[in-house]
Amino acid sequence: DAGITQSPRYKITETGRQVTLMCHQTWSHSYMFWYRQDLGHGLRLIYYSAAADITDKGEVPDGYVVSRSKTENFPLTLESATRSQTSVYFCASSLRDGTYEQYFGPGTRLTVT
Amino acid sequence: KQEVTQIPAALSVPEGENLVLNCSFTDSAIYNLQWFRQDPGKGLTSLLLIQSSQREQTSGRLNASLDKSSGRSTLYIAASQPGDSATYLCAVKETSGSRLTFGEGTQLTVNP
């Protein structure tokens, strides 16, 4: 299917476990982003990538790792999950930087117990 | 640090009413401003994108305006319908960096 997809849509994990959230886009957009959405904080940028093999930190990167070996994929890994990482995670993509819109995936609801 | 505020946090109107949602930002050095819609449990859908050089954008019953110098944007919804019920978010992209800074949204309910 065309567009931007995320998997899994829902995930429950335990404190200390590693978990990877997947993001895939079919538009060949250069830029991809990971946000988290929390009550009282809105959406905050975790990491972004300008192209394959180029990534940069956003506002709240601690505890997260990203990679981008292929243009279409941008996985987000929580190396040792903590309860404070319970959130809804959104992946987004943009054709290029600057004037272009960001398009969002459906989100992954992650619960860390 | 850029801060984006949306007032009111929630709004309930009867069907058919015209309404205005407000968004303000503290740093006028923006590249563009984007309005999104978010339905419960769903992702964000882009509604309108206004470049910093533009004053307004229109799509169907939606009209968004931008006054960069005063740090304000409004989203006007004409002839509201129950299907417009959702949370509306605005986000600004600053001239430096790639991030969007989001407001916390206005939750709109349109009553039949």
Side-chain angles (χ1 to χ4, degrees):
Chain A
D1 288 350
I4 184 166
T5 57
Q6 294 183 235
S7 62
R9 294 294 315 280
Y10 303 91
K11 176 74 176 179
I12 300 174
T13 192
E14 295 177 344
T15 301
R17 290 194 180 261
Q18 181 180 84
V19 60
T20 295
L21 310 183
M22 304 301 294
C23 179
H24 175 77
Q25 52 104 356
T26 61
W27 294 309
S28 298
H29 283 175
S30 295
Y31 277 76
M32 295 187 75
F33 308 84
W34 276 107
Y35 293 87
R36 58 178 289 173
Q37 186 176 35
D38 305 285
L39 278 174
H41 292 281
L43 280 109
R44 293 177 291 174
L45 181 66
I46 304 170
Y47 270 97
Y48 69 99
S49 168
D53 297 322
I54 301 174
T55 62
D56 208 347
K57 295 179 180 179
E59 184 182 359
V60 288
D62 293 344
Y64 303 94
V65 175
V66 294
S67 62
R68 195 163 175 212
S69 58
K70 293 183 177 181
T71 300
E72 61 267 30
N73 296 323
F74 191 37
L76 176 74
T77 297
L78 288 67
E79 292 191 301
S80 178
T82 66
R83 289 194 181 89
S84 65
Q85 293 177 309
T86 293
S87 186
V88 181
Y89 291 85
F90 289 100
C91 179
S93 71
S94 177
L95 179 60
R96 282 189 282 277
D97 199 8
T99 63
Y100 294 90
E101 293 173 86
Q102 288 190 21
Y103 294 93
F104 281 72
T108 294
R109 182 174 294 275
L110 176 68
T111 301
V112 183
T113 63
Chain B
K1 179 186 173 184
Q2 179 75 266
E3 293 182 2
V4 179
T5 304
Q6 292 186 247
I7 295 174
L11 182 64
S12 181
V13 301
E15 182 177 3
E17 191 162 298
N18 302 325
L19 58 100
V20 174
L21 307 181
N22 297 295
C23 173
S24 62
F25 46 95
T26 55
D27 188 345
S28 62
I30 66 169
Y31 215 107
N32 58 46
L33 184 145
Q34 200 167 348
W35 281 94
F36 294 89
R37 168 188 173 133
Q38 185 175 26
D39 293 285
K42 301 287 180 63
L44 280 68
T45 300
S46 179
L47 297 173
L48 289 164
L49 173 73
I50 311 177
Q51 306 297 345
S52 62
S53 58
Q54 297 175 319
R55 302 265 319 164
E56 65 179 85
Q57 279 284 351
T58 298
S59 176
R61 294 183 294 108
L62 306 179
N63 176 276
S65 67
L66 174 64
D67 184 342
K68 200 174 72 164
S69 60
S70 68
R72 294 184 180 184
S73 176
T74 61
L75 179 67
Y76 174 84
I77 302 177
S80 58
Q81 303 170 358
D84 295 329
S85 297
T87 297
Y88 291 81
L89 298 155
C90 71
V92 299
K93 184 181 181 306
E94 297 175 49
T95 53
S96 60
S98 297
R99 61 176 284 189
L100 291 180
T101 302
F102 283 83
E104 291 203 40
T106 294
Q107 185 175 0
L108 173 66
T109 302
V110 180
N111 301 298

